Amino acid sequence: MATNNDKIQFRGEVEKEASQIVDEMRLGGINISELARQGLQQMLRETLSEEEKIELHQRYKQGEISEEVAQILIGDALEEIERERDAFEDAMELDTSGVFQQ
């Protein structure tokens, strides 16, 4: 099982060369680690289905994963899921005893 100290590594020779070229072109260079971090976050979010995002939100609410991890994996959808969940719970509490359907 992976630990927090494990490094994420992959063979990216072409990507490394491309990043070095851009780094050389910029006066202050580029922060390759930050670009990699942002790219990984974006790709993680893009690979998740809606069902997986909901499952992750449930795990976050149950305290199984931290808010930071939930934010990385779900991003802005975290707040959207909260709003939808609250609206659903409010709708469940509505008194429908006086509503008739023919």
Side-chain angles (χ1 to χ4, degrees):
M1 178 167 205
T3 67
N4 288 342
N5 294 327
D6 289 347
K7 290 182 180 180
I8 297 175
Q9 297 180 343
F10 63 94
R11 303 210 189 292
E13 294 175 26
V14 176
E15 291 83 356
K16 182 177 180 179
E17 183 179 346
S19 65
Q20 288 172 337
I21 290 171
V22 174
D23 187 55
E24 292 168 2
M25 293 172 65
R26 299 263 173 106
L27 183 58
I30 59 172
N31 185 335
I32 296 171
S33 293
E34 183 61 24
L35 287 174
R37 187 176 304 107
Q38 289 176 7
L40 180 58
Q41 289 177 10
Q42 180 180 349
M43 293 308 298
L44 284 169
R45 290 177 186 163
E46 289 178 8
T47 61
L48 293 172
S49 68
E50 292 302 315
E51 293 81 17
E52 289 170 326
K53 290 178 184 178
I54 292 169
E55 179 183 341
L56 287 166
H57 180 267
Q58 290 171 339
R59 291 179 64 188
Y60 159 66
K61 293 306 273 182
Q62 294 169 353
E64 294 178 24
I65 60 175
S66 69
E67 182 175 0
E68 293 83 11
V69 171
Q71 188 65 41
I72 286 173
L73 293 172
I74 305 172
D76 295 336
L78 186 62
E79 293 174 9
E80 183 180 330
I81 292 170
E82 282 289 321
R83 283 192 303 272
E84 289 179 10
R85 186 174 141 249
D86 292 343
F88 179 77
E89 288 175 357
D90 290 345
M92 292 297 294
E93 294 176 6
L94 291 176
D95 181 17
T96 59
S97 61
V99 177
F100 295 101
Q101 184 176 9
Q102 294 183 3

